[in-house]
Amino acid sequence: MGRSRNTRDARRTRRGPSAAEAVVEAVDGGLAQLVPDPDRSRAWTLLIDGAPQSHVDLDDPGYLSFEYQRRLGHVIDLVAPPGRPVHAVHLGGGALTLARYTAATRPRSTQQVVERDASLVQLVRRELPLDPAARIRVRSADARAGLAKVPDGWADLVIADVFSGARTPAHLTSTEFLDEVRRALKPSGVYAANLADGPPLAHLRGQIATAAARFAELALIADSAVLRGKRFSNAVLVASDAPLPLPELTRRAASDPHPARVEHGKQLRDFTGGAAPVTDEAAVASPAPPPSVFR
């Protein structure tokens, strides 16, 4: 997360006579809001400086509300046979939605979450407590520094969902970063990243080219309008040195409430338009979303 604050400004806002209270608190990355979901009794949306970050249902951690989180959920579902425990690393914590999902759908999984914003972690742990039986360790550190502490070949899955001021930090976009990801992954392990971009999609094309320089197999899950450069939104990049479960991934993405396409192979290579892999020396943060995205 980005800006640090020397004081904590926590307050609760009641939404109605019988409604749960919203929680508003300054964290290192800005102003955090936990807003109760009016349709689900123990569900909350986390916003940072007005930008939606996560949705959590404490009664049903297998429920994923956000489009991009459902797409990452498909990757979690398909990374190993159903229900089998996995070793997972989550770069970026938010409200720990995907770690909770993994714990619910794959009991006895061992997970490491790396979230730079220590005060956000404290807020989430206090207001949205984790299941004590979930084997989830949360480390307050920079994502790349935290990844460097993961043992070689430990992870079945590495998920990158890191935003600072609604932008992915530059040092998490390079081939050198992906070298660290590959080091931490098992030979059959899978890397998945939440990417945000809009027209002309230069960042997204560069990220695909970067992953292609380090992994044998790639797929991109995205809305058709995003792929056509019509709007700013999220896309999920999936990469591995082992074959990906493309038919099932395609089926699940197409059957979502907001259907998505899965691009791979020659079509995905053509989509990059000749973009070059990104190195640490040339890396820049992802583009800032236009103000209209969060209205």
Side-chain angles (χ1 to χ4, degrees):
M1 289 289 179
R3 301 182 301 277
S4 62
R5 293 170 186 255
N6 296 323
T7 60
R8 294 285 180 264
D9 174 22
R11 61 184 185 273
R12 293 175 179 269
T13 305
R14 186 172 295 278
R15 291 161 60 87
S18 60
E21 294 177 327
V23 180
V24 183
E25 183 166 317
V27 296
D28 294 340
L31 188 68
Q33 298 172 274
L34 286 172
V35 179
D37 184 333
D39 299 319
R40 304 176 76 92
S41 62
R42 295 185 69 226
W44 302 79
T45 298
L46 168 67
L47 301 92
I48 304 292
D49 287 341
Q53 302 285 329
S54 303
H55 180 280
V56 169
D57 188 330
L58 296 178
D59 288 334
D60 183 8
Y63 173 77
L64 299 176
S65 175
F66 289 4
E67 283 180 30
Y68 86 87
Q69 289 184 332
R70 281 196 300 274
R71 293 165 188 171
L72 288 168
H74 299 326
V75 177
I76 294 168
D77 291 344
L78 298 173
V79 74
R84 195 187 82 183
V86 296
H87 289 174
V89 177
H90 303 265
L91 304 178
L96 309 177
T97 304
L98 292 170
R100 298 173 201 263
Y101 178 85
T102 305
T105 58
R106 296 184 175 278
R108 303 182 310 283
S109 290
T110 303
Q111 302 184 75
Q112 298 186 39
V113 178
V114 184
E115 170 55 62
R116 180 177 180 177
D117 194 329
S119 53
L120 175 62
V121 171
Q122 292 173 358
L123 170 65
V124 169
R125 282 187 175 278
R126 185 184 74 234
E127 300 292 339
L128 309 176
L130 286 167
D131 180 348
R135 299 168 63 176
I136 300 171
R137 178 187 179 188
V138 184
R139 185 197 305 270
S140 295
D142 170 78
R144 190 156 158 180
L147 178 63
K149 296 183 181 299
V150 176
D152 292 2
W154 182 84
D156 296 289
L157 176 65
V158 173
I159 296 177
D161 184 17
V162 184
F163 289 86
S164 176
R167 303 177 72 183
T168 302
H171 69 299
L172 305 181
T173 67
S174 67
T175 52
E176 291 89 343
F177 166 66
L178 291 185
D179 287 338
E180 271 298 301
V181 171
R182 291 188 78 239
R183 180 199 59 76
L185 282 172
K186 297 176 181 178
S188 61
V190 174
Y191 170 64
N194 176 30
L195 307 174
D197 199 9
L201 299 178
H203 174 71
L204 185 58
R205 298 181 204 277
Q207 287 304 284
I208 296 166
T210 303
R214 291 298 184 265
F215 289 96
E217 303 289 336
L218 297 183
L220 185 72
I221 313 171
D223 183 280
S224 295
V226 175
L227 294 172
R228 294 196 305 269
K230 298 295 186 182
R231 67 183 178 94
F232 192 105
S233 190
N234 299 82
V236 170
L237 178 64
V238 188
S240 180
D241 284 328
L244 295 170
L246 294 171
E248 183 62 14
L249 197 60
T250 300
R251 186 190 70 78
R252 290 178 181 231
S255 63
D256 273 341
H258 297 279
R261 285 165 48 190
V262 175
E263 296 288 358
H264 59 91
K266 183 179 184 301
Q267 284 183 309
L268 187 56
R269 290 193 298 273
D270 290 346
F271 176 77
T272 64
V278 176
T279 64
D280 274 345
E281 186 177 3
V284 296
S286 66
S292 59
V293 167
F294 302 125
R295 288 178 186 165

